[in-house]
Amino acid sequence: MTSRRDFLQKAGLSTLAVSLPFTDALSAMSLEREDKVLRVAIMGLGSYGTRVAEAMKDCKRAKLVGVISGTPSKIEAWKQKYGIPAKNCYNYENYHQIKDNPDIDAVYVITPNSLHKPHSIGVAKAGKHVICEKPMALNAEEGREMIAACKAAGVHLMVGYRMHFEAKTLEVVKKQRAGEFGKTLFFQGLSGFMIGDPTQWRLNRELAGGGSMMDIGVYSINGARYMLGEEPIWVTAQEVKTDPVKFKQGVDETITFQMGFPSGAVASCLSTYSMNNLDKFFLNGTKGFAEMQPSTGYGPIQARTNQGPIEAQHITHQTTQMEEMAAIILDGKKPLIPVDGEEGLKDLVIVDAIYEAVRTGARISLI
Ligand code: NAD
């Protein structure tokens, strides 16, 4: 049996130590506080929603208590499988009534990309905290609307950036922040996989908002920012399409893009739906380097630096993510790498610039 403290130590995280002053940290160790649990409903019972539900079985601070789905048979199956009471089950027509349900604190929106904005705003208006999958929205304008709606409703808006809580990622980021690699001047991010079924929503512009960039390229954008620890000031990008039937107008197959940073650092990245074996981050500095491969898959993540391998036990990413998001909402914990709406917006501003750079061939300034 693993105790909660063991769990956090293995995850390389110490919720109590990071978030609270010493005396509070002591009182926080009381059972009463440990019992404070974030009660979550999942909206969108698809492939990733199922993965999150399974991962939450191991959570101590977050519990799956409700569902929102348009498919009655899925609701029935989830009621049985996860012990969800009928009063916590909703569909897309009546989920606004969740505002009258005191037994649900937060809704995790795991629907196709174009639905993130309307669903998140609907949840916020119902007075519940919003956890939204990546990409947070289709573009920066939508992202800003979501942030405003959550602010107006007084609820948290968080993006499902599971890597922000992954132990080896955090170790590399801490080393970078501590200057162990010297001045970091280059990041390479390779994000891609070979996509299958041509009829899936990921290849439908209306639902996906684009192609590989919206789905997998965002990992390299986000990774460049947290690995280098600064925000880009310009973007250039080029698109390549080998299959215009599968990847229709507005659905990008492969995009290479570059970002420049205030320190003089540059990032060189690839996003594709046409090749496997692309899940790699490389960070180089004047004194050392870090290499992660796989870098953002479901793990185990592999990481090494010029000093040798980074060791940390693999814990299901979504389990750690939901534990930490519970701590953010319930304890006011501040994560090392943010997961809030502003963080999601920063990635969307870059996505917009990448698409503009592809369209115009120009170098797009972000300042
Ligand atoms: P999926 O197709 O397996 O599931 C999507 C769900 O949304 C389905 O249950 C579907 O019924 C429901 N849905 C509701 N309205 C719909 C509509 N109008 N059209 C189509 N489906 C509708 O997809 P998924 O892989 O679970 O992806 C869902 C979201 O999760 C996406 O935004 C994706 O980017 C994100 N995701 C994140 C990660 C991660 O590691 N963070 C991994 C996979 C997916």
Side-chain angles (χ1 to χ4, degrees), residues 122-149:
V123 169
K125 284 188 173 160
K128 304 297 178 184
H129 299 296
V130 180
I131 304 170
C132 177
E133 253 320 308
K134 46 58 56 179
M136 183 171 99
L138 299 190
N139 51 52
E141 193 184 331
E142 284 196 359
R144 289 190 189 96
E145 284 178 56
M146 290 164 69
I147 291 170

Side-chain angles (χ1 to χ4, degrees), residues 44-49 74 92 110-113 115-116 133-135 160 162 201-202 207 215 219 298:
L45 312 183
S47 139
Y48 197 65
K74 279 194 205 166
Y92 294 105
I110 318 187
T111 49
N113 305 344
L115 302 172
H116 291 177
E133 253 320 308
K134 46 58 56 179
R162 61 189 160 78
W201 68 259
R202 282 182 167 77
L207 286 169
D215 192 35
Y219 284 97
Y298 297 138

Side-chain angles (χ1 to χ4, degrees), residues 4-135:
R4 168 159 170 77
R5 206 179 304 172
D6 286 342
F7 172 86
L8 288 169
Q9 279 168 355
K10 282 176 190 151
L13 302 161
S14 175
T15 314
L16 303 172
V18 172
S19 62
L20 299 166
F22 183 61
T23 46
D24 284 358
L26 284 180
S27 64
M29 286 166 103
S30 73
L31 262 182
E32 190 185 42
R33 198 164 181 102
E34 292 279 297
D35 278 346
K36 231 167 96 179
V37 163
L38 184 74
R39 297 160 307 169
V40 179
I42 290 183
M43 175 188 273
L45 312 183
S47 139
Y48 197 65
T50 303
R51 188 177 285 274
V52 171
E54 287 298 305
M56 282 178 72
K57 284 180 180 168
D58 292 328
C59 287
K60 295 198 166 49
R61 299 292 310 275
K63 185 170 164 42
L64 174 64
V65 299
V67 291
I68 299 152
S69 169
T71 314
S73 59
K74 279 194 205 166
I75 294 182
E76 275 317 304
W78 281 54
K79 271 162 76 178
Q80 301 297 322
K81 194 166 182 196
Y82 300 106
I84 293 166
K87 69 174 184 59
N88 289 355
C89 296
Y90 298 86
N91 57 41
Y92 294 105
E93 282 70 51
N94 69 12
Y95 79 89
H96 303 94
Q97 293 168 15
I98 213 164
K99 70 175 187 310
D100 302 318
N101 189 334
D103 298 331
I104 296 174
D105 305 310
V107 175
Y108 196 156
V109 176
I110 318 187
T111 49
N113 305 344
S114 69
L115 302 172
H116 291 177
K117 182 187 103 166
H119 285 159
S120 296
I121 292 178
V123 169
K125 284 188 173 160
K128 304 297 178 184
H129 299 296
V130 180
I131 304 170
C132 177
E133 253 320 308
K134 46 58 56 179

Side-chain angles (χ1 to χ4, degrees), residues 162-163 166-170 172 187-193 216 219-220 223 226-227 276-282 290-304 310 312 314 317:
R162 61 189 160 78
M163 300 316 297
E166 194 278 322
K168 291 179 188 173
T169 303
L170 288 174
V172 170
F187 171 84
Q188 183 189 42
L190 305 177
S191 301
F193 65 94
I216 193 78
Y219 284 97
S220 273
Y226 64 69
M227 296 280 275
N276 288 328
N277 311 310
L278 289 169
D279 182 6
K280 181 176 172 180
F281 285 175
F282 178 68
E291 187 179 57
M292 307 184 70
Q293 185 177 24
S295 54
T296 65
Y298 297 138
I301 299 301
Q302 301 290 342
R304 71 181 181 106
I310 292 180
H314 171 68
H317 297 170

Side-chain angles (χ1 to χ4, degrees), residues 235-240 254-258 269-271 354 357-358 361:
V235 165
T236 50
Q238 309 78 32
E239 181 175 8
V240 176
T254 299
I255 291 180
T256 50
F257 60 99
Q258 304 76 37
C269 305
L270 174 77
S271 165
I354 288 170
V358 164

Side-chain angles (χ1 to χ4, degrees), residues 163-224:
M163 300 316 297
H164 293 203
F165 306 109
E166 194 278 322
K168 291 179 188 173
T169 303
L170 288 174
E171 200 51 39
V172 170
V173 167
K174 282 178 196 159
K175 286 178 184 293
Q176 191 274 348
R177 304 292 190 268
E180 287 188 32
F181 308 127
K183 190 171 179 188
T184 44
L185 287 172
F186 179 68
F187 171 84
Q188 183 189 42
L190 305 177
S191 301
F193 65 94
M194 206 183 273
I195 198 158
D197 179 10
T199 65
Q200 63 186 288
W201 68 259
R202 282 182 167 77
L203 296 172
N204 173 332
R205 182 178 159 71
E206 277 63 51
L207 286 169
S212 75
M213 182 58 62
M214 299 304 285
D215 192 35
I216 193 78
V218 288
Y219 284 97
S220 273
I221 295 175
N222 191 244

